[in-house]
Coordinates of all heavy atoms in Angstrom, one line a residue:
A1173 N -1.5 35.0 -43.3 CA -1.2 34.0 -44.3 C -1.9 32.7 -44.0 O -2.4 32.0 -44.9 CB 0.3 33.8 -44.4
V1174 N -1.9 32.2 -42.7 CA -2.5 31.0 -42.3 C -3.9 31.0 -42.5 O -4.5 30.0 -43.0 CB -2.1 30.6 -40.9 CG1 -2.8 29.4 -40.4 CG2 -0.6 30.5 -40.7
D1175 N -4.6 32.1 -42.2 CA -6.1 32.2 -42.4 C -6.4 32.1 -43.8 O -7.4 31.4 -44.2 CB -6.6 33.6 -41.8 CG -6.6 33.5 -40.3 OD1 -6.5 32.5 -39.7 OD2 -6.5 34.7 -39.7
L1176 N -5.7 32.7 -44.7 CA -6.0 32.6 -46.2 C -5.8 31.1 -46.6 O -6.6 30.7 -47.4 CB -5.1 33.6 -47.0 CG -5.4 33.6 -48.4 CD1 -6.7 34.0 -48.8 CD2 -4.3 34.6 -49.1
Q1177 N -4.8 30.5 -46.1 CA -4.5 29.1 -46.4 C -5.6 28.3 -46.0 O -6.1 27.3 -46.7 CB -3.1 28.6 -45.8 CG -2.7 27.2 -46.3 CD -1.5 26.8 -45.6 OE1 -0.9 27.5 -44.7 NE2 -1.0 25.7 -46.1
R1178 N -6.1 28.5 -44.8 CA -7.3 27.7 -44.3 C -8.5 28.0 -45.1 O -9.2 27.0 -45.4 CB -7.6 28.1 -42.9 CG -6.6 27.6 -41.8 CD -7.0 28.1 -40.4 NE -5.9 27.7 -39.4 CZ -5.9 26.7 -38.7 NH1 -7.0 25.8 -38.8 NH2 -4.9 26.3 -37.9
L1179 N -8.8 29.2 -45.5 CA -9.9 29.5 -46.3 C -9.8 28.7 -47.7 O -10.8 28.3 -48.2 CB -10.1 31.0 -46.5 CG -10.7 31.7 -45.3 CD1 -10.6 33.2 -45.6 CD2 -12.0 31.3 -44.9
K1180 N -8.7 28.7 -48.2 CA -8.4 28.1 -49.6 C -8.7 26.6 -49.4 O -9.3 25.9 -50.2 CB -7.1 28.4 -50.1 CG -6.9 29.8 -50.7 CD -5.5 30.0 -51.2 CE -5.4 31.4 -51.7 NZ -4.0 31.7 -52.2
M1181 N -8.2 26.0 -48.3 CA -8.4 24.6 -48.0 C -9.8 24.3 -47.9 O -10.3 23.3 -48.4 CB -7.5 24.3 -46.7 CG -7.9 22.9 -46.1 SD -7.1 21.6 -47.0 CE -7.6 20.2 -46.0
I1182 N -10.5 25.1 -47.1 CA -12.0 24.8 -46.9 C -12.7 24.9 -48.2 O -13.5 24.0 -48.5 CB -12.6 25.9 -46.0 CG1 -12.0 25.6 -44.4 CG2 -14.1 25.8 -45.9 CD1 -12.3 26.8 -43.5
K1183 N -12.4 25.9 -49.0 CA -13.2 26.0 -50.4 C -12.7 24.8 -51.2 O -13.7 24.2 -51.9 CB -12.7 27.3 -51.0 CG -13.4 27.6 -52.4 CD -12.9 28.8 -53.0 CE -13.5 28.9 -54.3 NZ -13.0 30.2 -55.1
H1184 N -11.5 24.5 -51.3 CA -11.1 23.3 -52.1 C -11.7 22.0 -51.6 O -12.2 21.2 -52.5 CB -9.6 23.2 -52.1 CG -9.0 22.2 -53.1 ND1 -9.1 22.3 -54.4 CD2 -8.5 21.0 -52.8 CE1 -8.6 21.4 -55.1 NE2 -8.2 20.4 -54.0
A1185 N -11.7 21.8 -50.3 CA -12.3 20.6 -49.7 C -13.8 20.5 -50.0 O -14.4 19.5 -50.3 CB -12.1 20.5 -48.2
K1186 N -14.6 21.6 -49.9 CA -16.0 21.7 -50.3 C -16.2 21.3 -51.7 O -17.1 20.6 -52.0 CB -16.5 23.1 -49.9 CG -16.8 23.4 -48.5 CD -17.8 22.5 -47.8 CE -19.2 22.8 -48.3 NZ -20.1 21.8 -47.8
M1187 N -15.3 21.8 -52.6 CA -15.4 21.4 -54.0 C -15.2 19.9 -54.2 O -15.8 19.4 -55.2 CB -14.5 22.3 -54.8 CG -14.8 23.8 -54.9 SD -13.6 24.8 -55.7 CE -13.0 23.8 -57.1
L1188 N -14.4 19.4 -53.4 CA -14.2 17.9 -53.5 C -15.2 17.0 -52.9 O -15.2 15.8 -52.9 CB -12.8 17.6 -52.9 CG -11.6 18.1 -53.7 CD1 -10.3 17.8 -52.9 CD2 -11.4 17.5 -55.1
G1189 N -16.2 17.8 -52.2 CA -17.4 16.9 -51.6 C -17.2 16.7 -50.2 O -18.1 16.0 -49.7
F1190 N -16.2 17.3 -49.5 CA -16.1 17.1 -48.1 C -17.2 17.9 -47.3 O -17.4 19.1 -47.8 CB -14.7 17.4 -47.5 CG -13.6 16.4 -48.0 CD1 -13.0 16.5 -49.1 CD2 -13.3 15.4 -47.1 CE1 -12.1 15.5 -49.5 CE2 -12.3 14.5 -47.4 CZ -11.7 14.6 -48.7
T1191 N -17.7 17.4 -46.3 CA -18.7 18.2 -45.5 C -17.9 19.1 -44.6 O -16.7 18.8 -44.4 CB -19.6 17.3 -44.6 OG1 -18.7 16.6 -43.7 CG2 -20.2 16.2 -45.4
L1192 N -18.5 20.1 -44.0 CA -17.9 21.0 -43.1 C -17.4 20.3 -41.9 O -16.3 20.6 -41.4 CB -18.8 22.2 -42.7 CG -19.0 23.2 -43.8 CD1 -20.1 24.3 -43.3 CD2 -17.7 23.8 -44.2
S1193 N -18.1 19.3 -41.5 CA -17.7 18.4 -40.2 C -16.5 17.8 -40.7 O -15.5 17.7 -39.7 CB -18.9 17.5 -40.0 OG -18.5 16.7 -38.8
E1194 N -16.5 17.2 -41.8 CA -15.2 16.4 -42.2 C -14.0 17.3 -42.3 O -12.9 17.0 -41.9 CB -15.4 15.7 -43.5 CG -16.3 14.5 -43.4 CD -16.8 14.0 -44.8 OE1 -16.8 14.8 -45.8 OE2 -17.1 12.9 -44.9
I1195 N -14.2 18.5 -42.9 CA -13.2 19.5 -43.0 C -12.6 20.0 -41.6 O -11.5 20.1 -41.4 CB -13.7 20.7 -43.8 CG1 -14.0 20.3 -45.2 CG2 -12.7 21.8 -43.8 CD1 -14.7 21.3 -46.0
A1196 N -13.5 20.2 -40.7 CA -13.1 20.6 -39.4 C -12.4 19.5 -38.6 O -11.4 19.9 -37.9 CB -14.4 20.9 -38.5
D1197 N -12.6 18.3 -38.9 CA -11.9 17.1 -38.2 C -10.4 17.1 -38.7 O -9.6 16.8 -38.0 CB -12.6 15.8 -38.6 CG -13.9 15.6 -37.9 OD1 -14.1 16.3 -37.0 OD2 -14.7 14.7 -38.4
V1198 N -10.1 17.5 -39.9 CA -8.8 17.4 -40.4 C -8.0 18.7 -40.7 O -6.8 18.6 -41.0 CB -8.7 16.4 -41.6 CG1 -9.2 15.0 -41.4 CG2 -9.5 17.1 -42.9
L1199 N -8.7 19.8 -40.6 CA -8.1 21.0 -41.1 C -6.8 21.3 -40.5 O -5.9 21.6 -41.1 CB -9.1 22.1 -40.9 CG -8.7 23.5 -41.4 CD1 -8.7 23.4 -42.9 CD2 -9.8 24.6 -41.0
T1200 N -6.7 21.3 -39.2 CA -5.5 21.8 -38.4 C -4.4 20.8 -38.9 O -3.3 21.2 -39.2 CB -5.6 21.8 -37.0 OG1 -6.7 22.8 -36.7 CG2 -4.4 22.2 -36.2
V1201 N -4.6 19.5 -38.8 CA -3.5 18.5 -38.9 C -3.1 18.5 -40.4 O -1.9 18.3 -40.7 CB -3.8 17.2 -38.4 CG1 -4.0 17.1 -36.9 CG2 -5.1 16.7 -39.0
W1202 N -4.0 18.8 -41.3 CA -3.6 18.8 -42.7 C -2.7 20.0 -43.1 O -1.8 19.9 -43.7 CB -4.9 18.8 -43.6 CG -4.7 18.5 -45.1 CD1 -4.2 19.3 -45.9 CD2 -5.1 17.3 -45.7 NE1 -4.1 18.7 -47.1 CE2 -4.7 17.6 -47.0 CE3 -5.8 16.2 -45.3 CZ2 -4.9 16.6 -48.0 CZ3 -6.0 15.3 -46.4 CH2 -5.5 15.4 -47.6
I1203 N -3.1 21.1 -42.6 CA -2.4 22.3 -43.0 C -1.1 22.3 -42.2 O -0.1 22.8 -42.8 CB -3.3 23.6 -42.6 CG1 -4.4 23.7 -43.5 CG2 -2.4 24.9 -42.6 CD1 -5.3 25.0 -43.3
E1204 N -1.0 21.9 -41.0 CA 0.3 21.9 -40.3 C 1.1 20.7 -40.6 O 2.1 20.4 -39.9 CB -0.1 22.1 -38.8 CG -0.7 23.4 -38.4 CD -1.1 23.6 -37.0 OE1 -0.9 22.7 -36.2 OE2 -1.7 24.6 -36.6
D1205 N 0.7 20.0 -41.6 CA 1.5 18.9 -42.1 C 1.7 17.8 -40.9 O 2.7 17.1 -40.9 CB 2.9 19.2 -42.6 CG 2.8 19.8 -44.0 OD1 1.7 19.4 -44.7 OD2 3.6 20.5 -44.4
E1206 N 0.7 17.6 -40.1 CA 0.7 16.5 -39.1 C 0.2 15.3 -39.7 O 0.4 14.2 -39.2 CB -0.1 16.9 -37.9 CG 0.5 18.1 -37.1 CD -0.3 18.4 -35.9 OE1 -1.0 17.6 -35.3 OE2 -0.2 19.6 -35.4
F1207 N -0.4 15.4 -40.9 CA -0.8 14.1 -41.6 C 0.4 13.7 -42.6 O 1.0 14.7 -43.3 CB -2.0 14.4 -42.5 CG -3.4 14.2 -42.0 CD1 -3.5 13.8 -40.6 CD2 -4.5 14.2 -42.7 CE1 -4.7 13.6 -40.1 CE2 -5.7 14.0 -42.2 CZ -5.9 13.6 -40.9
S1208 N 0.7 12.5 -42.6 CA 1.7 12.0 -43.6 C 1.0 12.0 -44.9 O -0.1 12.1 -45.1 CB 2.2 10.6 -43.2 OG 1.2 9.7 -43.4
V1209 N 1.9 11.9 -46.0 CA 1.4 11.7 -47.3 C 0.4 10.6 -47.4 O -0.6 10.7 -48.0 CB 2.5 11.6 -48.3 CG1 2.0 11.2 -49.7 CG2 3.4 12.9 -48.5
A1210 N 0.9 9.5 -46.7 CA 0.0 8.2 -46.8 C -1.4 8.5 -46.2 O -2.4 8.0 -46.7 CB 0.7 7.1 -46.0
Q1211 N -1.4 9.3 -45.1 CA -2.7 9.6 -44.4 C -3.5 10.5 -45.2 O -4.8 10.3 -45.2 CB -2.4 10.3 -43.0 CG -1.9 9.3 -42.0 CD -1.3 10.0 -40.7 OE1 -0.7 11.0 -40.8 NE2 -1.9 9.6 -39.6
K1212 N -2.9 11.5 -45.9 CA -3.6 12.3 -46.8 C -4.2 11.5 -48.0 O -5.4 11.7 -48.4 CB -2.7 13.4 -47.4 CG -2.4 14.5 -46.2 CD -1.4 15.5 -46.9 CE -1.0 16.5 -45.8 NZ -0.2 17.6 -46.3
R1213 N -3.5 10.7 -48.5 CA -3.9 9.8 -49.6 C -5.1 8.9 -49.2 O -6.1 8.8 -49.8 CB -2.8 8.9 -50.2 CG -1.8 9.6 -51.0 CD -0.8 8.6 -51.6 NE -1.5 7.7 -52.5 CZ -1.8 8.0 -53.8 NH1 -1.5 9.2 -54.4 NH2 -2.4 7.1 -54.5
A1214 N -5.0 8.3 -47.9 CA -6.0 7.5 -47.4 C -7.3 8.3 -47.2 O -8.4 7.8 -47.5 CB -5.6 6.9 -46.1
C1215 N -7.2 9.5 -46.7 CA -8.4 10.4 -46.6 C -9.1 10.6 -47.8 O -10.3 10.5 -48.0 CB -7.9 11.7 -45.9 SG -9.2 12.9 -45.5
L1216 N -8.3 11.0 -48.9 CA -8.9 11.2 -50.2 C -9.5 9.9 -50.8 O -10.5 10.0 -51.5 CB -7.9 11.9 -51.1 CG -7.4 13.3 -50.7 CD1 -6.3 13.7 -51.5 CD2 -8.6 14.3 -50.8
E1217 N -8.8 8.8 -50.6 CA -9.3 7.6 -51.2 C -10.6 7.2 -50.5 O -11.5 6.7 -51.2 CB -8.2 6.4 -51.0 CG -7.0 6.7 -51.9 CD -5.9 5.7 -51.6 OE1 -5.8 5.1 -50.6 OE2 -5.0 5.8 -52.5
R1218 N -10.8 7.4 -49.2 CA -12.0 7.2 -48.5 C -13.1 8.0 -49.1 O -14.3 7.5 -49.3 CB -11.9 7.4 -47.0 CG -11.2 6.3 -46.2 CD -11.3 6.4 -44.7 NE -10.9 7.7 -44.2 CZ -9.6 8.0 -43.8 NH1 -8.7 7.0 -44.0 NH2 -9.3 9.1 -43.4
K1219 N -12.8 9.2 -49.3 CA -13.8 10.2 -49.9 C -14.2 9.8 -51.3 O -15.4 9.8 -51.7 CB -13.2 11.7 -49.9 CG -14.3 12.6 -50.4 CD -15.6 12.4 -49.5 CE -16.3 13.6 -49.1 NZ -17.5 13.4 -48.4
L1220 N -13.2 9.3 -52.0 CA -13.5 8.8 -53.3 C -14.5 7.5 -53.4 O -15.4 7.5 -54.2 CB -12.2 8.4 -54.2 CG -12.3 8.0 -55.6 CD1 -13.0 9.1 -56.4 CD2 -11.0 7.7 -56.2
I1221 N -14.3 6.7 -52.5 CA -15.2 5.5 -52.3 C -16.6 5.9 -51.9 O -17.6 5.5 -52.4 CB -14.6 4.6 -51.2 CG1 -13.3 3.8 -51.7 CG2 -15.7 3.5 -50.8 CD1 -12.6 3.1 -50.7
Q1222 N -16.6 7.0 -51.0 CA -18.0 7.6 -50.6 C -18.7 8.1 -51.8 O -19.9 7.9 -52.1 CB -17.9 8.5 -49.6 CG -17.5 8.1 -48.2 CD -17.1 9.2 -47.2 OE1 -17.0 10.3 -47.5 NE2 -17.1 8.8 -46.0
I1223 N -18.0 8.8 -52.6 CA -18.6 9.5 -53.9 C -19.0 8.3 -54.8 O -20.1 8.4 -55.4 CB -17.5 10.4 -54.6 CG1 -17.3 11.6 -53.6 CG2 -17.9 10.7 -56.0 CD1 -16.2 12.5 -54.1
E1224 N -18.2 7.4 -55.0 CA -18.6 6.2 -55.9 C -19.8 5.5 -55.4 O -20.7 5.1 -56.2 CB -17.4 5.2 -56.1 CG -16.3 5.7 -56.9 CD -15.0 5.0 -56.8 OE1 -14.9 4.1 -56.0 OE2 -14.0 5.3 -57.6
E1225 N -19.9 5.4 -54.1 CA -21.1 4.8 -53.5 C -22.4 5.7 -53.7 O -23.4 5.2 -54.1 CB -20.9 4.5 -52.0 CG -20.0 3.4 -51.7 CD -19.7 3.3 -50.2 OE1 -19.9 4.2 -49.4 OE2 -19.0 2.3 -49.9
K1226 N -22.2 6.9 -53.6 CA -23.3 7.9 -53.9 C -23.7 7.8 -55.3 O -24.8 7.9 -55.7 CB -23.0 9.3 -53.5 CG -22.9 9.5 -52.0 CD -22.5 10.9 -51.7 CE -22.3 11.2 -50.2 NZ -21.9 12.6 -49.9
E1227 N -22.7 7.7 -56.2 CA -22.9 7.7 -57.6 C -23.8 6.4 -58.0 O -24.8 6.5 -58.7 CB -21.6 7.6 -58.4 CG -21.8 7.6 -59.9 CD -20.4 7.6 -60.7 OE1 -19.5 7.1 -60.1 OE2 -20.4 8.1 -61.8
L1228 N -23.5 5.3 -57.4 CA -24.2 4.0 -57.7 C -25.7 4.2 -57.1 O -26.6 3.8 -57.8 CB -23.5 2.9 -56.9 CG -24.2 1.5 -57.1 CD1 -24.4 1.1 -58.5 CD2 -23.4 0.5 -56.3
A1229 N -25.8 4.8 -56.0 CA -27.1 5.0 -55.4 C -28.0 6.0 -56.3 O -29.1 5.7 -56.5 CB -27.1 5.6 -54.1
L1230 N -27.4 6.9 -56.9 CA -28.1 7.9 -57.8 C -28.4 7.2 -59.1 O -29.4 7.4 -59.7 CB -27.2 9.2 -58.1 CG -27.1 10.1 -56.9 CD1 -26.0 11.2 -57.2 CD2 -28.4 10.8 -56.6
K1231 N -27.5 6.3 -59.6 CA -27.9 5.6 -60.8 C -29.0 4.7 -60.5 O -29.9 4.5 -61.5 CB -26.7 4.8 -61.3 CG -25.6 5.6 -61.9 CD -24.4 4.8 -62.4 CE -23.3 5.6 -63.1 NZ -22.2 4.8 -63.4
E1232 N -29.1 4.0 -59.4 CA -30.2 3.1 -59.0 C -31.5 4.0 -58.9 O -32.6 3.6 -59.3 CB -30.0 2.4 -57.7 CG -28.9 1.3 -57.9 CD -28.4 0.6 -56.7 OE1 -28.9 1.1 -55.5 OE2 -27.6 -0.2 -56.7
L1233 N -31.4 5.1 -58.3 CA -32.5 6.0 -58.1 C -33.0 6.5 -59.5 O -34.3 6.5 -59.8 CB -32.2 7.3 -57.2 CG -33.2 8.3 -57.0 CD1 -34.4 7.6 -56.3 CD2 -32.7 9.4 -56.2
R1234 N -32.1 6.9 -60.4 CA -32.5 7.2 -61.7 C -33.2 6.1 -62.5 O -34.3 6.4 -63.0 CB -31.2 7.6 -62.5 CG -31.5 8.0 -64.0 CD -30.3 8.3 -64.9 NE -29.6 9.5 -64.4 CZ -28.4 9.5 -64.0 NH1 -27.7 8.4 -64.1 NH2 -27.8 10.6 -63.6
A1235 N -32.7 4.9 -62.3 CA -33.4 3.7 -63.0 C -34.8 3.6 -62.4 O -35.8 3.4 -63.2 CB -32.6 2.5 -62.8
G1236 N -35.0 3.7 -61.1 CA -36.4 3.7 -60.5 C -37.3 4.7 -61.0 O -38.5 4.5 -61.2
I1237 N -36.7 5.9 -61.1 CA -37.6 7.1 -61.6 C -38.0 6.9 -63.0 O -39.1 7.1 -63.5 CB -36.9 8.4 -61.3 CG1 -36.9 8.7 -59.8 CG2 -37.5 9.5 -62.1 CD1 -36.1 9.9 -59.5
N1238 N -37.0 6.5 -63.8 CA -37.3 6.1 -65.3 C -38.3 5.0 -65.4 O -39.1 5.1 -66.2 CB -36.0 5.7 -66.1 CG -35.2 6.9 -66.4 OD1 -35.7 8.1 -66.7 ND2 -33.9 6.8 -66.5
N1239 N -38.2 4.0 -64.5 CA -39.2 3.0 -64.6 C -40.6 3.5 -64.2 O -41.6 3.1 -64.8 CB -38.8 1.9 -63.6 CG -39.7 0.6 -63.6 OD1 -40.2 0.2 -64.7 ND2 -40.0 0.1 -62.4
A1240 N -40.6 4.4 -63.1 CA -41.9 5.0 -62.8 C -42.5 5.8 -63.8 O -43.7 5.8 -64.1 CB -41.8 5.8 -61.5
L1241 N -41.7 6.6 -64.6 CA -42.1 7.5 -65.7 C -42.7 6.6 -66.7 O -43.7 6.9 -67.4 CB -40.9 8.2 -66.2 CG -40.6 9.5 -65.5 CD1 -39.3 10.1 -66.0 CD2 -41.7 10.5 -65.6
F1242 N -42.0 5.5 -67.1 CA -42.5 4.5 -68.1 C -43.9 4.0 -67.7 O -44.8 3.8 -68.6 CB -41.5 3.4 -68.3 CG -42.1 2.3 -69.2 CD1 -41.9 2.5 -70.6 CD2 -42.5 1.1 -68.7 CE1 -42.4 1.5 -71.4 CE2 -43.0 0.1 -69.6 CZ -42.9 0.4 -71.0
K1243 N -44.2 3.7 -66.5 CA -45.5 3.2 -66.0 C -46.5 4.2 -65.8 O -47.7 3.8 -65.6 CB -45.2 2.5 -64.7 CG -44.4 1.2 -64.9 CD -44.1 0.5 -63.6 CE -43.3 -0.8 -63.8 NZ -43.3 -1.7 -62.6
V1244 N -46.2 5.5 -65.9 CA -47.3 6.5 -65.7 C -48.3 6.3 -66.7 O -48.1 6.2 -67.9 CB -46.7 7.9 -65.8 CG1 -47.8 9.0 -65.9 CG2 -45.8 8.2 -64.6
G1245 N -49.5 6.2 -66.2 CA -50.8 6.1 -67.2 C -51.1 4.6 -67.3 O -52.1 4.3 -67.9
L1246 N -50.2 3.7 -67.0 CA -50.6 2.3 -67.1 C -51.2 1.8 -65.9 O -51.1 2.4 -64.9 CB -49.3 1.5 -67.3 CG -48.3 1.8 -68.5 CD1 -47.1 0.9 -68.5 CD2 -49.1 1.5 -69.9
P1247 N -52.0 0.6 -66.0 CA -52.7 0.1 -64.8 C -51.6 -0.1 -63.7 O -50.5 -0.6 -63.9 CB -53.3 -1.1 -65.3 CG -53.3 -1.0 -66.8 CD -52.2 -0.1 -67.1
C1248 N -52.0 0.2 -62.5 CA -51.1 0.0 -61.4 C -51.0 -1.5 -61.0 O -52.0 -2.2 -60.8 CB -51.6 0.8 -60.2 SG -50.5 0.7 -58.7
D1249 N -49.7 -2.0 -60.9 CA -49.6 -3.3 -60.5 C -48.8 -3.4 -59.2 O -48.3 -4.4 -58.8 CB -48.9 -4.1 -61.7 CG -47.4 -3.7 -62.0 OD1 -46.9 -2.8 -61.4 OD2 -47.0 -4.3 -62.9
D1250 N -48.4 -2.2 -58.6 CA -47.7 -2.1 -57.4 C -46.2 -2.7 -57.4 O -45.6 -2.9 -56.5 CB -48.5 -2.8 -56.3 CG -49.6 -2.0 -55.9 OD1 -49.6 -0.7 -56.0 OD2 -50.6 -2.6 -55.4
A1251 N -45.8 -2.9 -58.7 CA -44.4 -3.5 -58.8 C -43.5 -2.4 -59.5 O -43.8 -1.9 -60.6 CB -44.4 -4.7 -59.7
F1252 N -42.5 -2.0 -58.7 CA -41.6 -1.0 -59.3 C -40.3 -1.7 -59.5 O -39.4 -1.4 -59.9 CB -41.5 0.2 -58.4 CG -42.6 1.1 -58.3 CD1 -43.8 0.9 -57.5 CD2 -42.7 2.1 -59.2 CE1 -44.8 1.8 -57.5 CE2 -43.8 3.0 -59.3 CZ -44.9 2.8 -58.4

């Protein structure tokens, strides 16, 4: 039963964007309720901040690529 719970936890954490390294760091204490509710919330809130930072970086990357696409075929001015 514990092994099945761990597998479900790993699958769920991967779906939430946690790396295997992050999952390994907290797996035992999370399942065995060694984390308080506040600690679990803090862990998830940190992950949410990381995701929001990645989202911003991807938006900036998208804007740069769109800018480069717009400039394809135009004289090169080395300004992106």
Side-chain angles (χ1 to χ4, degrees):
V1174 172
D1175 289 339
L1176 183 57
Q1177 184 180 12
R1178 286 177 189 264
L1179 287 174
K1180 287 180 181 179
M1181 166 78 179
I1182 292 168
K1183 182 179 176 184
H1184 188 69
K1186 286 296 291 173
M1187 288 174 43
L1188 292 175
F1190 287 85
T1191 66
L1192 288 177
S1193 177
E1194 291 169 329
I1195 295 167
D1197 288 342
V1198 298
L1199 187 62
T1200 301
V1201 290
W1202 192 289
I1203 288 177
E1204 295 176 4
D1205 283 333
E1206 292 181 27
F1207 269 10
S1208 68
V1209 170
Q1211 288 171 309
K1212 289 177 181 181
R1213 287 186 62 81
C1215 180
L1216 292 171
E1217 287 168 352
R1218 281 192 304 273
K1219 189 50 147 178
L1220 187 58
I1221 289 168
Q1222 290 174 351
I1223 290 169
E1224 289 167 349
E1225 290 170 350
K1226 286 179 185 179
E1227 181 180 29
L1228 178 61
L1230 286 171
K1231 285 180 180 179
E1232 291 172 356
L1233 180 60
R1234 178 184 294 124
I1237 291 172
N1238 280 329
N1239 185 39
L1241 279 169
F1242 174 76
K1243 292 181 178 186
V1244 169
L1246 298 177
C1248 183
D1249 64 3
D1250 291 327
F1252 284 92

